[in-house]
Every structure is written in structure tokens, then in C-alpha cells.
Amino acid sequence: MRLSVLDLVPVRSDQNTSQALAATTRLAQAADRLGYTRYWVAEHHNMPSVAATSPPVLIAHLAAHTSALRLGSGGVMLPNHAPLAVAEQFALLEAAHPGRIDLGLGRAPGSDPVTSLALRGAAGRDDRDVEAFPSYLDDVMALMSSAGVRVPLPRDLMRENYVLKATPAAVTEPKMWLLGSSMYSAHLAAAKGLPYVFAHHFSGQGTDEALQTYRREFRPTGLPGLPSEPLTFLTVNAAVADTGEEAERLILPNLQMMAKLRTGQPLGPLDLVEDAEHRHLNPRELAVVDAGRRQAVVGSPAEAADRLRALAERFGVDEVMIHPVASAHRGVDPATAPAREATLELLAKELF
């Protein structure tokens, strides 16, 4: 089984942003050394516990500090950005690191409505950008290609067609993936002939139906770089330690964070383990924590490996993307994330 990594660059209560980024750099280097396939970073905005705000900036940094990993976005939230800007950023990344760049694209805003408005700026982009998402996908793909896009212009302006390119001389292109957590994304990925990633780590609901629909409806495009048959993997939250009891402790801060998010409470940085263990949760929060624990891969190395194999078999995928969500104990070096690194190391020993 191939294993990959999804990273939101979590910010613990003992960390500043620089320290969280230093910990992520170490984690990516561990994944590179251990033989993981790809390492993706997310796009979220205005969240106290998430430092992954700009995937292309993070990818450039991590690619410069690793050697073999494929680096990518999980994902760029396309309605927040002009397609040409995204195409230019990832064309440059691919030129700098040929054959190592993935462009995962999503439709969600990755933020609250106020932040979304601030991101889109004076141009006044609105919900029509979400509706135009399918055509934006086509635009990004075409703009990154060596041929570019021909823009029709009135005859009295310049010339009949204007060629628009994200880069002047593309040799290779990033691999595009469509991300989703709903049936909409499954239908669209199949219709576009794109590889598809289901965000099982986010809700754990509808995974089987979405993947089956994608496979059933998949239509190959015959375009270079796109698959001739359905290609997919799924994401899963994970915390692995020498004992199942320790893994349960390490994942508790993340589960409580999700409980706050889903019950509409104010968010802060990710708790340390000792602080999470002393928090009192109401019944609604406890229900979210219990559901998240059931959906995640939590346990000793052997238990976690068995769980991953079962997930891969159940959903028919040959690659799983691990979202290592273990927090840290009080007193840990803030520039490190030893429990997250241990999750990757212990799984690699069992599965590689």
C-alpha cells in the first residue's frame, strides 16, 4: 500500500507560527526519508490552529527541503483565486521541481464568509465563482499547458485570437487532482476524467457512494497527463503510538477541536495533551469526539496498520493519505512535533 501525508500545519498552544512551520518541515523530511509517496498541504484561512494558508508558498518551501516526495495542495480552494494566478504559481513550482508537483483543487472556501470576501478583494468575486468551478478547472489545466488558451477577441482589437499562458515554455505540467467530500465532486471528477480524492478524514460520511459513483461514471479524456481509468485515494486522520492508550491521549486535542468547530464554539490553538485531558465536554461535544475517534486510525502500530489495510480494501484504493493529528505533551520542543513524526515512522515500519 502506498501512503501519503496531508498537513494543515497545526499550531499548538505552545507554538508560534514559525515554530509550527519548523515542525512541519521536520515532518515532511521524515516522510521523505521514510518513503511516503506525496505530501500535501491544505488551504485554510483565519483559523488560530491552522498555519496552512498559502499552499504554493508552503510547497515551494517544503520542496526545497526534501528530495523525493511529490509535493502538492490538498487543496487550493479555487473560488478564492483567479485561475490564471493558480496556474502561474503551479507552473512555476513544476518548472522548479519537475515531476514532483501535484495540484489538488477544491470548491469549498476554506474559511468563513467574511474571510472569503476579504480574499476575493475589490474584484467583487461572489458565489458565481463557485458555480463557475467546472469551467475554472478547465481554464487552469489549459493555462498550464504548453499550448495555453486562445482567447477570442473582436476583430478590431489586436488580432483575432490572443494566446494566454501561465508559463512561456512548459515542458512538464503538475498532476491535477479534484478534491471533494460530496457527490457533486464525484460526478464532476468523473465527467472531467480527473483523478479524485475523497476527504474521508473530514466527515467519514458518503465515502463509499462517492467513490463508486466516480468509478462508474468516469470518462477518460485522452489528454496527456490525465488517467485512462479511474484513479483515487482517500484521506484519514491518524494518531499512532507504541501503545493504543497513548495514541488515544495524543488524538484527544484534535477531536476536541473538531467538536468546538462543529458545535459553533470559538476556536483557539490546538491544546496540549494535558490540557485536553482536563477539559469538560458537554453531550454534543462528546458525540462529535466519539464519532471522530471511530472514523480515525488510532492505536498501536499493528492496530493502525490493520485498520489502514481494512480501509484500503473496503474502499478499493491502493493509496491512503494520512493526516497525522497527534498533539504533544507539555515540555516538548515547540519547533518539533514528535508524536506526528512517530505516527509516520511507526506506520512505515509496519507497512513498507
Side-chain angles (χ1 to χ4, degrees):
M1 186 198 313
R2 291 195 301 273
L3 289 181
S4 294
V5 181
L6 173 65
D7 189 2
L8 274 62
V9 193
V11 183
R12 304 190 307 259
S13 58
D14 65 335
Q15 290 176 312
N16 58 38
T17 304
S18 294
Q19 292 164 334
L21 288 170
T24 271
T25 303
R26 286 174 54 101
L27 189 67
Q29 290 171 332
D32 197 33
R33 169 175 49 83
L34 292 165
Y36 282 75
T37 301
R38 65 188 89 240
Y39 194 103
W40 284 9
V41 291
E43 178 187 340
H44 291 281
H45 302 280
N46 202 33
M47 296 184 69
S49 63
V50 177
T53 57
S54 178
V57 173
L58 270 173
I59 291 167
H61 170 73
L62 296 176
H65 287 81
T66 56
S67 60
L69 279 173
R70 292 192 67 91
L71 280 300
S73 55
V76 167
M77 300 296 104
L78 192 50
N80 291 339
H81 312 283
L84 177 58
V86 173
E88 287 181 333
Q89 291 161 358
F90 279 80
L92 275 176
L93 286 169
E94 176 67 20
H97 306 280
R100 294 185 60 201
I101 303 300
D102 293 332
L103 171 54
L105 293 167
R107 187 175 64 125
S111 60
D112 59 81
V114 175
T115 307
S116 292
L117 183 63
L119 277 168
R120 297 174 188 185
R125 306 181 75 213
D126 53 31
D127 288 342
R128 287 173 294 183
D129 294 297
V130 174
E131 297 169 6
F133 181 66
S135 63
Y136 285 175
L137 288 175
D138 295 337
D139 290 344
V140 171
M141 194 182 318
L143 286 163
M144 290 189 302
S145 71
S146 58
V149 176
R150 292 192 175 275
V151 182
L153 295 175
R155 290 184 178 275
D156 57 342
L157 290 177
M158 298 177 66
R159 54 184 178 273
E160 192 169 337
N161 285 298
Y162 183 88
V163 177
L164 190 60
K165 294 184 179 184
T167 186
V171 177
T172 59
E173 300 169 26
K175 187 177 186 67
M176 273 187 60
W177 296 76
L178 183 62
L179 282 60
S181 58
S182 68
M183 294 305 297
Y184 172 91
S185 57
H187 292 302
L188 183 60
K192 298 289 187 184
L194 288 168
Y196 179 51
V197 182
F198 191 83
H200 184 74
H201 77 284
F202 184 70
S203 68
Q205 303 296 316
T207 307
D208 192 51
E209 183 184 6
L211 293 180
Q212 287 190 27
T213 297
Y214 166 72
R215 292 176 180 127
R216 183 176 62 251
E217 298 181 1
F218 180 84
R219 298 291 181 270
T221 65
L223 295 174
L226 292 186
S228 58
E229 57 187 26
L231 179 61
T232 189
F233 62 81
L234 56 83
T235 58
V236 62
N237 292 328
V240 185
D242 288 331
T243 67
E245 180 181 13
E246 176 63 6
E248 292 280 358
R249 297 182 70 198
L250 290 166
I251 200 173
L252 186 60
N254 177 267
L255 295 174
Q256 291 184 358
M257 177 71 69
M258 291 307 299
K260 289 180 185 178
L261 177 66
R262 293 183 179 175
T263 57
Q265 298 183 50
L267 300 179
L270 185 70
D271 277 342
L272 297 172
V273 170
E274 290 80 4
D275 297 324
E277 288 179 325
H278 288 92
R279 285 198 181 277
H280 174 74
L281 275 63
N282 63 42
R284 288 181 63 208
E285 292 172 315
L286 284 171
V288 175
V289 166
D290 290 341
R293 183 183 287 110
R294 289 193 300 270
Q295 293 159 6
V297 171
V298 189
S300 68
E303 293 168 339
D306 287 345
R307 170 78 169 137
L308 282 174
R309 292 188 190 100
L311 278 171
E313 182 176 355
R314 175 185 171 189
F315 295 114
V317 297
D318 60 4
E319 180 177 339
V320 177
M321 180 167 274
I322 302 301
H323 178 210
V325 294
S327 186
H329 289 282
R330 188 172 290 117
V332 162
D333 180 351
T336 69
R340 300 180 78 215
E341 290 184 38
T343 292
L344 301 191
E345 290 168 355
L346 294 171
L347 285 175
K349 287 179 182 178
E350 289 288 328
L351 293 167
F352 293 164

